[in-house]
Amino acid sequence: VCFLAGSLALGSKHNAGDLNLARKIGETCIEMYDTPAGLAPEIVHFHEHVDPKDIYIKTPDAHNLLRPETVESLFYLWRITGEERWREAGWKMFLAWEKHSKVSTGGYSSLHSVLHVPVSWRDKMESFFPAETLKYLFLLFDDTWTEKLSLDKWVFNTEAHPLPVWTA
C-alpha cells in the first residue's frame, strides 16, 4: 500500500486534492518504521475507533523484507513538494538498514522481526533491495539527478528505471 503515496503525489499535477492524501499516506507509512529496529514490519494493523496513528504489529507479521515501496513514495513526495521531511525519513530508514540488515561479508539480510533488537537475520536479500530500494534512496539524496530526470520528462518503471515520456 505504501507505493500509493507516490502514485497520488504524481497524480496531484492533475488533481491537487491527491497531494494531501499522498502526504497522509506517506506519514502513515513512515510511522510504520517506528519500531525497535527502526524498520517497518511486513504488515501493520490499525486499531479501530482510536487515534488513526495507533498501529500495532502481530508477531507473525513483524518481519522486514527490505521492501522499496515507502522509499519510492518518499522520493516522489520529495521531488513534488520539496519538503525536507521526506528525505529525513528516508535517511532514518537507510541508517536502520545499515545498522540492522547489513552483513559484514557483503549485502543485506531481511529480518525475522523488527520488534526485537538485536535483530535476527533471515539470511536472504530479495533482488528488489538493490534494484529498487537502494536506487530510490540514491535518487532521493543525489540532487544532481533532479534536473537530469525531471518528472515532467521521465517516468520510472517499478524497478526505478527511467523511461522518457513521449509527447505527441
Side-chain angles (χ1 to χ4, degrees):
V1 173
C2 285
F3 74 89
L4 186 57
S7 296
L8 288 169
L10 282 171
S12 71
K13 290 183 171 196
H14 305 288
N15 182 358
D18 287 347
L19 187 55
N20 188 42
L21 181 56
R23 284 181 170 120
K24 289 179 180 181
I25 293 171
E27 290 164 0
T28 301
C29 292
I30 290 168
E31 184 182 345
M32 296 185 326
Y33 283 75
D34 187 17
T35 65
L39 295 168
E42 184 67 10
I43 300 170
V44 299
H45 303 270
F46 296 88
H47 293 289
E48 293 183 39
H49 311 294
V50 292
D51 182 349
K53 292 184 177 181
D54 195 9
I55 62 174
Y56 66 98
I57 303 165
K58 295 179 181 179
T59 302
D61 303 329
H63 55 285
N64 177 278
L65 300 178
L66 315 169
R67 287 200 184 272
E69 289 82 3
T70 298
V71 177
E72 176 183 4
S73 285
L74 296 177
F75 164 72
Y76 286 118
L77 285 162
W78 157 251
R79 290 286 294 272
I80 290 164
T81 69
E83 295 168 354
E84 193 64 29
R85 65 181 171 148
W86 308 114
R87 279 180 146 180
E88 291 168 2
W91 184 246
K92 286 174 69 174
M93 293 172 193
F94 173 73
L95 292 176
W97 276 310
E98 286 290 298
K99 181 175 183 178
H100 298 296
S101 296
K102 191 172 188 175
V103 178
S104 64
T105 55
Y108 293 78
S109 176
S110 55
L111 306 177
H112 285 289
S113 176
V114 297
L115 299 175
H116 308 288
V117 175
V119 298
S120 172
W121 289 340
R122 293 176 69 139
D123 196 26
K124 182 175 184 181
M125 179 180 72
E126 300 287 350
S127 63
F128 55 70
F129 183 68
E132 298 175 62
T133 308
L134 293 179
K135 194 181 304 178
Y136 275 114
L137 281 167
F138 171 80
L139 291 169
L140 180 62
F141 296 115
D142 188 347
D143 290 328
T144 61
W145 290 97
T146 302
E147 292 300 318
K148 292 178 186 173
L149 295 174
S150 166
L151 296 180
D152 293 326
K153 298 178 182 175
W154 296 89
V155 65
F156 292 90
N157 72 3
T158 188
E159 268 124 26
H161 299 310
L163 302 169
V165 173
W166 299 99
T167 56

